[in-house]
Amino acid sequence: MGFLDNLLIGFSISLTQTNLLYCFIGVFLGTVIGVLPGLGPTATIAILLPVTFKLDITSAIIMLSGIYYGSQYGGTITSVLVNIPGEAASVVTCFDGYQMARKGRAGAALGIAAFGSFIGGTFGIIGLSTLTFLSSIALLVGPLEYSALMFLGCSLVIYFSSKSLLKGLMMGVLGFLLSTIGMDSITAVERFTFGSLSLIEGINVAILAMGLFGIGEVLYLAEKEKERERADILNVSTSFFSLLPNRRDWKDSSLPIARGSLLGFLLGILPGGGAVISSFISYGMEKRISKNPEKFGKGAIEGVAGPETANNAASQGAFIPLLLLGIPPNVVAALILAAFMIHGVTPGPLFLIEKPNLFWGIVTSMYIGNIMLLILNVPLIKVFVQILLVPYSVLSPLILLFCFIGAYSINNNPMDVLILAIFGIAGYLMRKFQFEPGPLMLTFVIGPIFEKSLRQAILIGSANPQIFISRPIAIIFFAIAMYLYLSPLIRYFIRKHKVKAAI
Amino acid sequence: MVLKKDKYVRRDIISSLFFILLGLFVIYFSFRMSIWKNSVPHEGFIPLVLGTFMSGLGIGLLVFSTVRNKIKGNMGDSSASDGKKDLIEIVKSQIIEEDTSSGEEKVDLKRLYKYLVAILLYVILLERLGYIMTTGLFYMAIVKFVEKKGYFYSLLITLAVVSLSFLLFSTLLRVPLPPGILKYLGG
């Protein structure tokens, strides 16, 4: 079947009334949580995971994906109007977006960000639609290469997303350990259940995610004074026509948008790259190649257009390793992978062959979602700004409530609510002790797949260590990962050697 | 010289000890499972590897925290060698990064404890009192007594949240919420 046929099948699925509704709910919620500082796509997807249990898998994934890429749009609004990034990927937008708003050009900044996001997002989806051959390449590799690739993917995420490499690694190991609780998938022997029936099936991913990201975040914010204060919103015109960039804006932004699309997409594919890094790199690149770098930080539209395009292209690019290789390149993608697995579907090299309708349904829903976001964001920015006025005193207990009901609804068991509260306290302590829960969640989700592949590889190689030597691709992946972990020490010894040589 | 540990070092030492013990616990229970049989890794293999890593990383964190604390003490000492200063730079920037910003922030622990008590009570009362009663009490308690809003405002918000959430979850999403004492009222 050709590319166009696949797209048509996909649209026939994504354009059904139900899927359109869930796509809208996803992108709308995504924009809302993108606007709200402190509540990101990770917490929102975690809170909504139990809701997806009862949904059809296509609708569920369409909605969760919409939240992810929709949040990139919403994050811009607060960056420009309040100088507070609603999302980590919108931090750089504060530099020039807020300055533009102070000069009375908020409309142009928000407008170019929305159009840039649309173009970057669409570029990412086209890339996703055309790079499906990657899954056929992935089919050629064995379980050892697959586990090595997963190991490298996790290592990259830990390396790039953790403030402390050591602590990130500890969280990664802990997540993997938690994933071993329950019945072993190969020998069917119980591990760390201690006779508890509710632990035989392992820890529920939704309860863990809601506890760590939902309740943990609320508790952490409960003790913070500064973060709870609502910032002043710049009183600027956000009427429809003021949001349309003029000819000069388009001229200045067209090349940054083009570069941001390509850069964001490429970085989005790489594990650990993602929206945050791509927006920073895009900003740095635009500043470096600009004829007037002194304009940056004072309201240069290129400083808004490039990063905003890049972070959206990256969030779409992240679906390539997730859907085609089964490897989530970041924590949000790991939660979407968890939603797939809840429904008994594992994305990966065989996903496109086994579930083509689901794959193309999700991909085409992204085209629709991006158009919805453009329509929502340009004329309705004023409405979204009002969301910033919702006080934490109302929002915090609401998040807790959603988590409680979500946990209860999984098995109608109050024990699950207790487990949720325990994970919530653990999430709070992690933040307090400066451990990021992201790597834990990632390894918790892909831990069982990694373990299965690794044990299969050892079995195939009859436990002969030579199997590790005879597979060069796996060795390269493992070696890069080991270099990442040892790089601080390697750099230290190189520096020490240089100092000694100088003396 | 006795070094005073800063709060980050103290927290790192506590967490490192926790991870060392957790790792040892996992290793102990891994040995009670089958680890390797007939050239095939069994259910205890991965936990054993992970437990070993966990303890090792815990020891690593303990060592780095102690080193950081010691060198930090020497940083104020002008006689500290460049090598030591270099080492703390590496430890600080590459291994354990401090969140210096949070040190200046005001922290309201009372509010946190109140939230924790409210969560605990919600867990205990959910089955007994039922969804509507427990949620109403929980929301009212948080908005009125923890967040210190007015009675009318708190009541209004509570009523809105309880009725809308009940409508959303029970009626639309068909989640069987616990009726609690209300089931007796309904006969």
Side-chain angles (χ1 to χ4, degrees), chain A residues 415-428:
Chain A
M415 261 306 280
D416 286 341
V417 186
L418 179 67
I419 296 170
L420 169 82
I422 293 169
F423 282 133
I425 295 168
Y428 162 76

Side-chain angles (χ1 to χ4, degrees), chain A residues 302-360:
Chain A
E302 300 94 316
V304 177
E308 278 301 321
T309 309
N311 67 27
N312 277 273
S315 67
Q316 304 288 4
F319 283 92
I320 291 180
L322 173 67
L323 297 179
L324 301 176
L325 304 175
I327 296 169
N330 54 48
V331 182
V332 185
L335 287 176
I336 297 175
L337 176 65
F340 270 108
M341 287 157 81
I342 285 167
H343 285 88
V345 176
T346 310
L350 288 170
F351 181 51
L352 192 57
I353 300 164
E354 287 172 354
K355 305 265 177 195
N357 289 4
L358 179 57
F359 176 85
W360 289 105

Side-chain angles (χ1 to χ4, degrees), chain A residues 164 167 222-223 228 394 495, chain B residues 86 95 108 111 139 147:
Chain A
S164 153
K167 287 183 173 181
E223 65 163 35
R228 295 169 62 88
V394 174
R495 247 170 89 176
Chain B
D86 198 33
I95 315 276
D108 184 352
R111 195 196 283 119
Y139 218 89
E147 300 291 350

